[in-house]
Amino acid sequence: MKRLAFLNNPFTIALTGGIGSGKSFAGEILSELGAIVVDSDQLSHQSLERGESGFDQVVSHFGDSILTNGEIDRKKLAQIVFENPNEKKVLESIIHPLVREKWDEVVKLAPNGTVLVNLIPLLVETNGKARFDLTITISASEEIRKERLLKRGLYISQIEARIKNQVSDTDRATYCDIEILNNGTQAEFAQEITKIWQAQILPRVAEKI
Ligand code: ATP
């Protein structure tokens, strides 16, 4: 019986960071290094698709007006919760357990020795670290993050509003096991992640097998 419990025992990493810090880019590098990367935002979008229990729960609470062509219109939903913190809590109380369930399914299916990375923008805000073997946060100066996001086509008002809604890099660094800085070039960032993969991640994976 004990052996069975170890058959599907991947090494799990939560990867967080503020808006524009480089989480997705870090995920791409980790995926090239051999990790399987899952994006919590995608899991949360999936949980609202027609046929999912999240769809029924959200429509029954927020009403048909949040639908466009029979699908949940995430822009309409975002508008409602942006203006009303209580509604935001309701939405989160529906979505977060479903996202966790989906992640648990991925973990269950991953073979022993696999490195599974979960991109979670709100890891600190949701106090989610207990479910992971390792937590990593990406930090970058606010100035650099704004510059990168402006290039990506966001408006400065959107960027500032989102930064204001999130905890600080310092809070994330205190909460997580590893902080990786992304203030330099993409090549420097990739090099740093590769170093951490070899020196800090792989030895922990070997220990867990
Ligand atoms: P979000 O929270 O909005 O999802 P994110 O934390 O996932 O953002 P990325 O999308 O990885 O951040 O990076 C933000 C932008 O900055 C992207 O356009 C990315 O290509 C670019 N970028 C990331 N790191 C660097 C770097 N070191 N040098 C230059 N550009 C970078």
Side-chain angles (χ1 to χ4, degrees):
M1 277 310 278
K2 200 162 176 11
R3 278 189 58 147
L4 274 180
F6 286 95
L7 271 178
N8 296 97
N9 191 23
F11 187 80
T12 55
I13 300 176
L15 179 61
T16 193
I19 178 171
S21 57
K23 293 179 293 296
S24 308
F25 185 44
E28 281 169 32
I29 299 162
L30 287 166
S31 156
E32 275 168 27
L33 288 166
I36 294 172
V37 181
V38 174
D39 185 341
S40 272
D41 283 344
Q42 274 172 13
L43 297 183
S44 120
H45 295 172
Q46 275 173 19
S47 73
L48 295 182
E49 282 170 9
R50 187 173 269 282
E52 296 273 344
S53 79
F55 179 94
D56 300 335
Q57 292 181 59
V58 165
V59 174
S60 99
H61 178 81
F62 291 92
D64 287 354
S65 63
I66 58 150
L67 298 175
T68 300
N69 299 327
E71 301 289 344
I72 289 176
D73 188 328
R74 291 204 311 274
K75 278 195 185 136
K76 286 186 188 166
L77 203 50
Q79 184 69 27
I80 295 171
V81 301
F82 186 73
E83 287 164 2
N84 188 332
N86 285 332
E87 293 294 57
K88 184 167 180 244
K89 277 196 192 134
V90 172
L91 181 64
E92 285 171 352
S93 74
I94 296 171
I95 292 180
H96 288 168
L98 298 173
V99 169
R100 255 179 246 136
E101 259 174 43
K102 287 190 183 294
W103 168 251
D104 289 344
E105 283 301 310
V106 177
V107 173
K108 251 192 244 160
L109 292 171
N112 201 0
T114 314
V115 180
L116 276 187
V117 176
N118 193 340
L119 295 191
I120 312 185
L122 300 181
L123 179 74
V124 179
E125 290 85 343
T126 56
N127 191 18
K129 75 173 168 189
R131 297 160 54 255
F132 294 92
D133 294 313
L134 186 71
T135 50
I136 299 178
T137 187
I138 311 296
S139 297
S141 81
E142 222 171 275
E143 203 188 328
I144 289 179
R145 285 159 63 194
K146 282 181 186 168
E147 216 174 90
R148 289 178 185 153
L149 291 167
L150 282 170
K151 265 195 208 146
R152 213 172 65 182
L154 263 71
Y155 295 113
I156 191 71
S157 56
Q158 289 174 309
I159 299 169
E160 284 178 345
R162 290 207 211 158
I163 289 180
K164 218 175 98 191
N165 262 329
Q166 297 183 333
V167 300
S168 67
D169 272 0
T170 313
D171 290 339
R172 271 185 292 264
T174 309
Y175 187 81
C176 291
D177 302 311
I178 297 176
E179 178 187 29
I180 308 177
L181 291 180
N182 184 20
N183 286 323
T185 64
Q186 289 186 318
E188 282 165 344
F189 188 49
Q191 222 171 30
E192 186 58 25
I193 292 181
T194 307
K195 239 195 311 185
I196 285 168
W197 174 262
Q198 282 160 355
Q200 305 208 46
I201 297 176
L202 291 185
R204 283 175 162 99
V205 177
E207 240 171 60
K208 195 179 174 186
I209 291 174

